[in-house]
PDB file of all heavy atoms in Angstrom:
ATOM      1  N   ALA A  18     102.597 122.517 153.379  1.00 45.00           N
ATOM      2  CA  ALA A  18     102.770 122.257 154.961  1.00 45.00           C
ATOM      3  C   ALA A  18     101.513 122.156 155.633  1.00 45.00           C
ATOM      4  O   ALA A  18     101.285 121.306 156.454  1.00 45.00           O
ATOM      5  CB  ALA A  18     103.643 123.431 155.487  1.00 45.00           C
ATOM      6  N   VAL A  33     110.579 118.852 161.376  1.00 32.00           N
ATOM      7  CA  VAL A  33     111.216 117.829 160.723  1.00 32.00           C
ATOM      8  C   VAL A  33     110.510 116.542 160.754  1.00 32.00           C
ATOM      9  O   VAL A  33     109.854 116.099 161.837  1.00 32.00           O
ATOM     10  CB  VAL A  33     112.646 117.611 161.422  1.00 32.00           C
ATOM     11  CG1 VAL A  33     113.419 116.562 160.755  1.00 32.00           C
ATOM     12  CG2 VAL A  33     113.447 118.931 161.487  1.00 32.00           C
ATOM     13  N   ALA A  66     118.553 123.932 155.367  1.00 35.00           N
ATOM     14  CA  ALA A  66     117.995 123.614 156.561  1.00 35.00           C
ATOM     15  C   ALA A  66     118.517 124.281 157.712  1.00 35.00           C
ATOM     16  O   ALA A  66     119.141 123.645 158.574  1.00 35.00           O
ATOM     17  CB  ALA A  66     117.907 122.087 156.790  1.00 35.00           C
ATOM     18  N   PRO A  87     117.069 114.584 133.352  1.00 86.00           N
ATOM     19  CA  PRO A  87     116.965 115.627 132.217  1.00 86.00           C
ATOM     20  C   PRO A  87     115.778 115.180 131.326  1.00 86.00           C
ATOM     21  O   PRO A  87     115.446 114.006 131.158  1.00 86.00           O
ATOM     22  CB  PRO A  87     118.157 115.542 131.646  1.00 86.00           C
ATOM     23  CG  PRO A  87     118.757 114.142 131.763  1.00 86.00           C
ATOM     24  CD  PRO A  87     118.412 113.883 133.122  1.00 86.00           C
ATOM     25  N   HIS A 100     108.627 127.232 120.673  1.00 98.00           N
ATOM     26  CA  HIS A 100     109.313 128.474 121.083  1.00 98.00           C
ATOM     27  C   HIS A 100     109.004 128.926 122.554  1.00 98.00           C
ATOM     28  O   HIS A 100     108.610 130.078 122.802  1.00 98.00           O
ATOM     29  CB  HIS A 100     108.632 129.613 120.107  1.00 98.00           C
ATOM     30  CG  HIS A 100     108.935 129.445 118.711  1.00 98.00           C
ATOM     31  ND1 HIS A 100     110.073 129.651 118.103  1.00 98.00           N
ATOM     32  CD2 HIS A 100     108.087 128.783 117.782  1.00 98.00           C
ATOM     33  CE1 HIS A 100     110.020 129.367 116.745  1.00 98.00           C
ATOM     34  NE2 HIS A 100     108.872 128.806 116.550  1.00 98.00           N
ATOM     35  N   ARG A 106     109.696 126.475 129.422  1.00 97.00           N
ATOM     36  CA  ARG A 106     110.484 125.175 129.380  1.00 97.00           C
ATOM     37  C   ARG A 106     110.432 124.524 130.798  1.00 97.00           C
ATOM     38  O   ARG A 106     110.379 123.259 130.965  1.00 97.00           O
ATOM     39  CB  ARG A 106     111.704 125.378 128.854  1.00 97.00           C
ATOM     40  CG  ARG A 106     111.791 125.865 127.341  1.00 97.00           C
ATOM     41  CD  ARG A 106     113.075 126.495 127.038  1.00 97.00           C
ATOM     42  NE  ARG A 106     114.142 125.358 126.734  1.00 97.00           N
ATOM     43  CZ  ARG A 106     114.220 124.822 125.604  1.00 97.00           C
ATOM     44  NH1 ARG A 106     113.480 125.280 124.441  1.00 97.00           N
ATOM     45  NH2 ARG A 106     115.186 123.899 125.308  1.00 97.00           N
ATOM     46  N   VAL A 166     103.442 119.815 118.220  1.00 97.00           N
ATOM     47  CA  VAL A 166     104.096 120.928 118.823  1.00 97.00           C
ATOM     48  C   VAL A 166     102.956 121.915 119.409  1.00 97.00           C
ATOM     49  O   VAL A 166     103.140 122.475 120.552  1.00 97.00           O
ATOM     50  CB  VAL A 166     104.882 121.763 117.708  1.00 97.00           C
ATOM     51  CG1 VAL A 166     105.316 123.089 118.337  1.00 97.00           C
ATOM     52  CG2 VAL A 166     105.979 120.867 117.317  1.00 97.00           C
ATOM     53  N   GLU A 172      99.118 122.674 126.227  1.00 95.00           N
ATOM     54  CA  GLU A 172      99.001 122.093 127.658  1.00 95.00           C
ATOM     55  C   GLU A 172     100.063 122.699 128.451  1.00 95.00           C
ATOM     56  O   GLU A 172      99.726 122.921 129.774  1.00 95.00           O
ATOM     57  CB  GLU A 172      99.503 120.475 127.472  1.00 95.00           C
ATOM     58  CG  GLU A 172      98.577 119.656 126.594  1.00 95.00           C
ATOM     59  CD  GLU A 172      97.131 119.957 126.700  1.00 95.00           C
ATOM     60  OE1 GLU A 172      96.636 120.271 127.756  1.00 95.00           O
ATOM     61  OE2 GLU A 172      96.521 119.712 125.580  1.00 95.00           O
ATOM     62  N   TRP A 264     100.631 123.620 110.134  1.00 95.00           N
ATOM     63  CA  TRP A 264     100.100 122.314 109.889  1.00 95.00           C
ATOM     64  C   TRP A 264      98.710 122.207 109.413  1.00 95.00           C
ATOM     65  O   TRP A 264      98.299 121.374 108.666  1.00 95.00           O
ATOM     66  CB  TRP A 264     100.180 121.459 111.221  1.00 95.00           C
ATOM     67  CG  TRP A 264      99.301 121.775 112.417  1.00 95.00           C
ATOM     68  CD1 TRP A 264      99.429 122.555 113.493  1.00 95.00           C
ATOM     69  CD2 TRP A 264      97.926 121.225 112.433  1.00 95.00           C
ATOM     70  NE1 TRP A 264      98.365 122.499 114.296  1.00 95.00           N
ATOM     71  CE2 TRP A 264      97.382 121.751 113.729  1.00 95.00           C
ATOM     72  CE3 TRP A 264      97.051 120.452 111.769  1.00 95.00           C
ATOM     73  CZ2 TRP A 264      96.051 121.463 114.122  1.00 95.00           C
ATOM     74  CZ3 TRP A 264      95.748 120.300 112.222  1.00 95.00           C
ATOM     75  CH2 TRP A 264      95.312 120.696 113.392  1.00 95.00           C
TER      76      TRP A 264
END
Side-chain angles (χ1 to χ4, degrees):
V33 180
H100 303 280
R106 297 165 78 90
V166 172
E172 307 311 334
W264 72 259

